[in-house]
Amino acid sequence: MVNYKDLGLVNTREMFKRAVAGGYAIPAFNFNTMEQMQAIVMAAVETKSPVIMQVSKGARNYANASILRYMAEGAVAYAKELGCAHPEIVLHLDHGDSFELCKDCIDMGFSSVMIDGSHLPYEENIALAKQVVDYAHQFDVTVEAELGVLAGVEDEVSAAESHYTKPEEVIDFSTRTGCDSLAISIGTSHGAHKFTPEQCTLVNGVLVPPPLAFDILHEIEKKLPGFPIVLHGSSSVPMDEVETINKYGGHLEAAIGIPEEQLREASKSAVCKINIDSDSRLAMTAAVRKHLAEHPGDFDPRQYLKPARENMKKMYIHKIVNVLGSDNKLANCD
Ligand SMILES: [Zn+2]
């Protein structure tokens, strides 16, 4: 049993409280490689932003649970080495699908977990979330639960259709589960292909997806004033990265994300955590493809992973500063 506090990590409670009050959102970036982890830490330190490093079940299987725990501990040490005396780094499980998995993560140093029972009938979702909350809170680990279903595909999580969160359920759900934050479905979607071209409108040659359901978000905010809300599936799928990938041998068709203006708007509300995964994958792949195409003789992984790391760092900084507004929001910026 390892407690996250011994690894120098923090839970989400205080940072969410400040984010909701301050009208900004904390970035939740998925990672499973050392380069992603380094890029996240560099970006968070440079911008003095709190950050959530999150791992899906698939990423945990890929990287190995023990290695991840040391990577998170290493991330804290690295942030301090880079000059951040009081980093606020959360290690979060993304889409935990069982009590056992959540417990295992809590026992191995995670400071926050998500239990995703959104595909279950309402009462079963509540029972599962409550079971995780009861265990997690003994160790001061925070819990994110989900109501409503997002469309799209991400690791093992997939759904053909989305079901918007019903505002009339949120008070009952949050009260009975005791969860610390709530992921909702208002039109974001997992993966890099969030919408079909048919669902979009063509504006100046660019496919613009249907807007997020801000009316539902505002209704939820009214029911749960100040309660931390989470948006999943919030990559923007930058067209320049998609074009670079396709220019250098890739084949990504009709990749469409959530416009950044809408995420900026959401950040000003009770939305205090925004999940970004696909954009990092795209930034990494674009840089690797470009480098290898331009330097066909290179075979040292450092030669192509260094520009990949740089490109991800640039993207993370852009999100923090220009979209979420979490820069200079550490409790102690010294
Ligand atoms: Zn998700």
Side-chain angles (χ1 to χ4, degrees):
M1 173 93 202
V2 191
N3 189 280
Y4 69 87
K5 289 172 188 169
D6 297 329
L7 307 182
L9 300 164
V10 298
N11 69 20
T12 58
R13 195 167 293 122
E14 289 304 314
M15 66 172 69
F16 280 178
K17 214 182 276 175
R18 293 185 335 247
V20 174
Y24 60 91
I26 309 290
F29 298 130
N30 288 68
F31 82 108
N32 49 60
T33 73
M34 182 187 78
E35 286 76 13
Q36 285 174 314
M37 181 272 269
Q38 291 172 318
I40 293 169
V41 173
M42 286 191 280
V45 168
E46 266 184 43
T47 57
K48 299 184 179 178
S49 171
V51 73
I52 296 168
M53 297 179 46
Q54 61 184 17
V55 189
S56 65
K57 183 180 166 185
R60 194 164 178 260
N61 290 338
Y62 174 82
N64 175 279
S66 297
I67 289 177
L68 271 176
R69 174 217 144 166
Y70 289 102
M71 277 174 92
E73 193 173 9
V76 175
Y78 185 42
K80 289 183 179 169
E81 212 174 285
L82 291 175
C84 180
H86 306 282
E88 291 175 42
I89 300 177
V90 174
L91 178 62
H92 175 77
L93 170 68
D94 191 19
H95 291 288
D97 60 357
S98 68
F99 171 76
E100 291 70 28
L101 175 61
C102 292
K103 179 182 181 297
D104 206 33
C105 286
I106 292 164
D107 292 349
M108 284 194 81
F110 281 60
S111 57
S112 176
V113 293
M114 174 194 194
I115 177 68
D116 180 0
S118 60
H119 54 286
L120 297 171
Y122 183 69
E123 289 297 329
E124 285 174 42
N125 188 1
I126 290 186
L128 179 60
K130 182 170 175 2
Q131 190 188 11
V132 172
V133 168
D134 287 346
Y135 185 77
H137 282 182
Q138 295 176 60
F139 308 99
D140 206 17
V141 168
T142 40
V143 179
E144 173 185 329
E146 177 164 337
L147 252 187
V149 178
L150 267 71
V153 182
E154 181 191 74
D155 289 356
E156 287 93 10
V157 183
S158 87
E161 265 180 65
S162 73
H163 299 279
Y164 285 167
T165 305
K166 296 179 188 144
E168 62 272 23
E169 289 179 347
V170 298
I171 296 178
D172 182 60
F173 185 86
S174 59
T175 312
R176 286 171 62 201
T177 60
C179 65
D180 302 280
S181 60
L182 186 64
I184 61 167
S185 171
I186 56 164
T188 59
S189 169
H190 287 127
H193 301 84
K194 301 186 187 300
F195 306 97
T196 62
E198 294 74 46
Q199 289 174 295
C200 303
T201 25
L202 199 61
V203 181
N204 300 327
V206 182
L207 287 172
V208 179
L212 298 181
F214 280 101
D215 51 332
I216 295 181
L217 172 60
H218 294 321
E219 244 183 279
I220 292 170
E221 279 188 288
K222 253 186 249 161
K223 304 247 183 219
L224 295 175
F227 194 82
I229 301 296
V230 177
L231 286 189
H232 279 243
S234 298
S235 278
S236 299
V237 189
M239 271 310 118
D240 52 337
E241 304 291 11
V242 174
E243 277 162 22
T244 303
I245 288 172
N246 288 341
K247 180 176 167 193
Y248 294 104
H251 190 69
L252 285 183
E253 270 183 293
I256 297 164
I258 308 293
E260 289 186 335
E261 310 78 68
Q262 300 211 11
L263 297 173
R264 202 174 297 129
E265 188 59 39
S267 302
K268 292 175 189 158
S269 71
V271 169
C272 63
K273 171 176 181 265
I274 292 190
N275 291 5
I276 295 167
D277 186 2
S278 295
D279 285 354
S280 156
R281 299 177 180 193
L282 292 167
M284 187 171 203
T285 301
V288 170
R289 278 198 180 275
K290 180 169 189 284
H291 183 91
L292 289 177
E294 289 175 350
H295 306 86
D298 281 1
F299 66 96
D300 178 343
R302 290 171 296 185
Q303 290 167 317
Y304 51 85
L305 290 177
K306 200 175 170 192
R309 188 170 64 189
E310 274 308 305
N311 205 35
M312 287 189 285
K313 178 186 163 192
K314 204 176 85 191
M315 187 277 292
Y316 292 137
I317 290 178
H318 164 69
K319 296 285 180 185
I320 289 171
V321 175
N322 301 320
V323 184
L324 309 185
S326 64
D327 48 319
N328 297 305
K329 299 297 193 299
L330 287 173
N332 189 341
C333 277
D334 297 340

